[in-house]
Amino acid sequence: MKAMRLFLVLAAVMLTAEASAQVSPAPPAAAPDKPAPAAKPKGGPAAKKPAPSPQPTATAPPAAPDDPNADLVYGAYQRGLYKTAFDLAIKRAQEKGDPKAMTMLGELYANAFGVKRDDAKAADWYKRAADAGDREAMFELAMLRLAGRGGPVNREEAARLLASSAKLGNPKAAYNLALMYLGGETLPQDLRRCAELMRVAADAGSPEAQYALATFYKEGTGVPKDAEKAARLLQAASLAGNVDAEVEYAIALFNGTGTSKNEAAAITLLRMAAKRNNPVAQNRLARVLASGQGVPVDKVEALKWHTIAKIAGKGDPELDQALTTMSAEDKAKAEIAVRKWFGTK
């Protein structure tokens, strides 16, 4: 039951047909040979564990190859010169049999960068590169197979491709393969193997894997329970911007679970996550503001966050009761703050 619960909360990270429509985080296709604009950088708590909503593992642009000539292909891609990247890549693929160039062609066709989107051609180029040993192509082709793009859904082939890519050190493949071992559908459920693969991806810096592995250590799934390791992983994922990890690390800090107790730092993290529209953080922040735990009592602000969380589906009957004694004036102030949050008058 515990493994199934973990699967239900983490399985959303496996790419689905809907999620795979955005195979690459690269900017939208620019006009041929016109540089795309530079991407902007991304910018009481002792309660029930927040339900995570990790994002699908996005694919990265094909890794830059060692060959300086092939780097011209990757460089054009990075600058948004997709037509140039295509022309250079097709030449290298046809004349040199270069797997990195083949992977680039798959990327361009899969995302309609400089060419018309063609899933069948994307799958074909990815397969050629995968057969030549390119780990990125193996991963990308696995994602297409899972999504049913360029051919029918084939989870068994996807699992084989992910295993090959993970064996070659691809952390994204390790992460998604781990989910397959956790789900126990395409592959037999193997919680230890799942945890091992999550660790590979976590060590490579994947915040989703760090968050997932932290959950394993908290629950004792596939690994011995270890609150300290869980807290360290939550901290790492939080620093990398995973909002669910941010909330859980805040709760760990507030309670001193697996880490030194630090209510001030915990509340700072709750505020950050609340402003990122996380209903659990909004609810926990409302609780501490209403009770004055680690922060001065501010019932107007508490009612604001409680209302916002409630609208998002995170109700709290105890807070309903605790805030009923507020004056009409304070309730009106909170209502104004809520309307401002939602951009309404």
Side-chain angles (χ1 to χ4, degrees), residues 59-273:
T59 67
D66 296 327
D67 187 331
N69 294 318
D71 276 349
L72 296 174
V73 179
Y74 184 75
Y77 177 91
Q78 286 291 79
R79 295 194 301 275
L81 304 177
Y82 301 127
K83 183 62 168 62
T84 298
F86 179 86
D87 292 341
L88 291 170
I90 195 74
K91 183 177 180 180
R92 287 193 61 80
Q94 292 175 341
E95 295 181 359
K96 306 290 185 181
D98 178 17
K100 289 295 182 187
M102 295 175 187
T103 300
M104 177 63 73
L105 290 169
E107 184 79 1
L108 295 171
Y109 274 119
N111 296 283
F113 290 160
V115 292
K116 184 178 179 180
R117 173 173 158 170
D118 190 322
D119 289 342
K121 287 184 179 179
D124 179 63
W125 281 114
Y126 281 143
K127 187 175 188 312
R128 294 190 199 187
D131 290 345
D134 187 81
R135 70 180 196 178
E136 293 296 328
M138 295 172 189
F139 173 76
E140 301 292 354
L141 183 57
M143 295 297 100
L144 292 186
R145 294 294 184 246
L146 287 172
R149 290 178 56 187
V153 172
N154 190 331
R155 296 181 65 83
E156 290 73 20
E157 183 185 0
R160 291 193 296 271
L161 287 163
L162 288 174
S164 296
S165 184
K167 190 174 181 179
L168 292 172
N170 188 330
K172 301 188 301 292
Y175 176 66
N176 284 276
L177 185 62
L179 292 175
M180 283 190 159
Y181 277 113
L182 180 61
E185 296 177 1
T186 307
L187 298 172
Q189 188 178 70
D190 188 334
L191 300 180
R192 288 187 179 180
R193 181 60 178 149
C194 174
E196 289 171 359
L197 288 164
M198 283 294 183
R199 188 176 293 109
V200 170
D203 288 347
S206 165
E208 292 82 12
Q210 290 164 346
Y211 177 52
L213 189 56
T215 304
F216 291 176
Y217 276 116
K218 285 179 61 181
E219 300 279 350
T221 301
V223 292
K225 280 189 178 183
D226 192 321
E228 291 186 6
K229 286 183 179 179
R232 286 198 296 271
L233 286 161
L234 287 173
Q235 181 185 34
S238 174
L239 290 171
N242 185 294
V243 67
D244 296 300
E246 205 167 68
V247 176
E248 289 214 41
Y249 185 52
I251 293 172
L253 282 170
F254 195 94
N255 297 318
T257 305
T259 186
S260 300
K261 186 178 179 70
N262 190 332
E263 292 183 351
I267 293 167
T268 296
L269 285 175
L270 286 178
R271 287 188 189 278
M272 290 170 59

Side-chain angles (χ1 to χ4, degrees), residues 304-324:
K304 166 196 161 182
W305 288 118
H306 172 51
T307 304
I308 293 168
K310 196 172 181 179
I311 290 171
K314 187 63 180 175
D316 191 330
E318 289 184 16
L319 269 179
D320 283 336
Q321 183 63 33
L323 298 172
T324 54

